[in-house]
Amino acid sequence: MKTILLAACLTLVAAEAQAISRYDPTRMSCDRVQATIARQGAVVLRYQSTRVPGLPLYDRYVQSQQFCTMGEVRTRAYVPSADTRSCPVYICKRPDNDRRFRRRFFHNN
């Protein structure tokens, strides 16, 4: 019984640790960036900042809400690509409920 339980736990850990592909969107067209995300479900896009030279920027971009963890929502974001400065993609973010609370109660003065 302990062996079966251990095997089940290791299987769950291995499923969470699946490798995620990394790409440079500035070497791909916007259509290709979006198609890659759609095909793989979730990818890491890494590119250089245009405002701060030498600063690498990266994030995890997803195809749909199912690739977000509980408590996160899919939100539109933009990345540079080879053919456009702002290619629309999606990321997972936690909603900023505290910000809505502060705006509602503290900005009415």
Side-chain angles (χ1 to χ4, degrees):
M1 184 64 160
K2 287 182 182 179
T3 306
I4 294 172
L5 184 59
L6 179 62
C9 289
L10 290 175
T11 302
L12 290 175
V13 170
E16 286 294 318
Q18 291 177 350
I20 187 167
S21 298
R22 292 168 175 80
Y23 297 96
D24 181 353
T26 62
R27 296 175 185 248
M28 305 163 67
S29 69
C30 183
D31 289 339
R32 187 168 168 215
V33 169
Q34 293 171 337
T36 301
I37 295 169
R39 184 179 64 252
Q40 295 192 11
V43 300
V44 171
L45 298 179
R46 185 176 187 268
Y47 53 95
Q48 295 295 315
S49 170
T50 56
R51 289 186 285 176
V52 181
L55 177 66
L57 300 175
Y58 63 93
D59 208 338
R60 181 175 173 267
Y61 298 88
V62 298
Q63 172 202 14
S64 66
Q65 180 69 38
Q66 78 179 38
F67 292 95
C68 298
T69 61
M70 189 178 348
E72 292 181 329
V73 293
R74 187 177 82 148
T75 305
R76 185 176 296 273
Y78 298 89
V79 296
S81 65
D83 60 346
T84 183
R85 288 179 42 190
S86 57
C87 179
V89 291
Y90 292 95
I91 60 172
C92 296
K93 284 181 79 171
R94 293 205 177 276
D96 191 2
N97 295 327
D98 184 49
R99 184 173 155 195
R100 188 177 312 139
F101 172 81
R102 280 185 275 138
R103 184 175 3 148
R104 182 174 177 191
F105 291 104
F106 296 114
H107 289 283
N108 292 332
N109 295 336

